[in-house]
Amino acid sequence: MDSKKLNIPDIHIGNIIMDYLKAVDRPQAFLAKSLNMASTNISKLLRKKSIETDKLFGISLALEHNFFALYGNDPDLIEGNYTITLPELGVNIEKRMKELKMTQMEFSTAIGIARSDVNRILRKTSFETDKLIAISEALDYNFFKDFYGPVADSEEKQLEQLNTSTLKRYEELVIENDRLKQRVFQLENENRQLKDEISKMKTQ
């Protein structure tokens, strides 16, 4: 497998987050409060090139900025029109191994861990970003993309269909209302005619 086609950037995520904090004029204390961490621990975290994906998820939510999209090479989904979720990474990794028919021994060799550690890996939901890069390359699948996606076209289509359906129903009601008005007018005419006939009969 040619892992290079994934083209996962080898970035210093801590530096990128600190640069973003400066750009939006947010202090590190803001992140500390959002993640319920001590300020000193946040400072240590942001000095690291690689951080746990669950921490990166919390940071992305707090800053409303999709840092996972940097690893996925999706600049259009860094801000704005995206959804973000916390996937079961271990489950997804095992599923990908089955798709590739890769044994646990082959997987352990590919990412440089002991065979006995594979089951522990498959139970994890969070990884250091550099480790997830290695796993992604070994399995020829970018697991960072599991954290986010564009706003589903189906949702937009459902909204469009709802608007279309509502407009159509409104037009149908207008037509029905006009038809009922015409029927009421006809009944009023028939009622007047009937009254006139009854009145004539009484005078005869």
Side-chain angles (χ1 to χ4, degrees):
M1 288 181 291
D2 182 7
S3 62
K4 291 183 179 179
K5 68 182 181 182
L6 289 178
N7 192 27
I8 302 177
D10 185 20
I11 59 180
H12 192 302
I13 192 61
N15 286 345
I16 290 174
I17 294 169
M18 284 193 289
D19 288 343
Y20 185 76
L21 284 171
K22 293 176 183 177
V24 297
D25 196 25
R26 291 278 194 177
Q28 291 187 18
F30 171 80
L31 275 187
K33 183 177 180 181
S34 299
L35 301 181
N36 195 26
M37 293 176 62
S39 295
T40 53
N41 290 338
I42 281 289
S43 182
K44 291 178 182 177
L45 181 70
L46 298 183
R47 287 198 295 268
K48 296 176 62 179
K49 177 178 179 293
S50 173
I51 66 175
E52 286 280 339
T53 53
D54 60 351
K55 291 289 192 301
L56 187 58
F57 180 80
I59 292 170
S60 294
L61 288 181
L63 296 178
E64 297 181 350
H65 187 83
N66 184 8
F67 290 99
F68 292 99
L70 297 173
Y71 293 97
N73 283 308
D74 287 317
D76 293 339
L77 297 180
I78 291 176
E79 292 185 3
N81 196 35
Y82 67 86
T83 58
I84 188 167
T85 186
L86 198 57
E88 294 286 340
L89 282 177
V91 173
N92 293 356
I93 290 169
E94 185 172 22
K95 179 181 177 181
R96 179 60 178 165
M97 288 172 61
K98 290 179 179 178
E99 289 175 352
L100 296 176
K101 298 180 179 179
M102 177 182 284
T103 67
Q104 291 193 0
M105 180 60 73
E106 290 171 334
F107 177 67
S108 65
T109 300
I111 65 172
I113 63 171
R115 163 66 180 79
S116 58
D117 288 334
V118 173
N119 286 331
R120 177 181 58 81
I121 289 286
L122 299 181
R123 291 194 299 268
K124 287 172 62 71
T125 58
S126 180
F127 294 85
E128 289 279 343
T129 50
D130 60 356
K131 178 59 71 175
L132 193 58
I133 290 175
I135 292 173
S136 295
E137 291 177 345
L139 297 180
D140 196 24
Y141 177 87
N142 192 332
F143 287 98
F144 291 95
K145 290 178 177 288
D146 288 354
F147 287 86
Y148 67 91
V151 174
D153 290 339
S154 60
E155 293 179 6
E156 295 177 350
K157 288 179 181 178
Q158 286 175 5
L159 181 59
E160 181 180 352
Q161 290 172 356
L162 178 61
N163 290 335
T164 301
S165 176
T166 301
L167 179 59
K168 183 178 180 181
R169 180 56 181 156
Y170 174 76
E171 292 172 347
E172 290 173 349
L173 288 172
V174 170
I175 294 172
E176 179 68 11
N177 186 56
D178 289 341
R179 189 188 68 79
L180 289 173
K181 284 182 178 180
Q182 292 176 3
R183 180 56 180 159
V184 168
F185 180 74
Q186 291 173 356
L187 290 172
E188 287 176 346
N189 283 338
E190 292 174 1
N191 187 50
R192 282 195 296 268
Q193 291 174 2
L194 182 59
K195 284 182 178 180
D196 289 343
E197 290 177 1
I198 292 173
S199 177
K200 290 178 181 179
M201 290 176 62
K202 288 181 178 181
T203 57
Q204 290 177 355

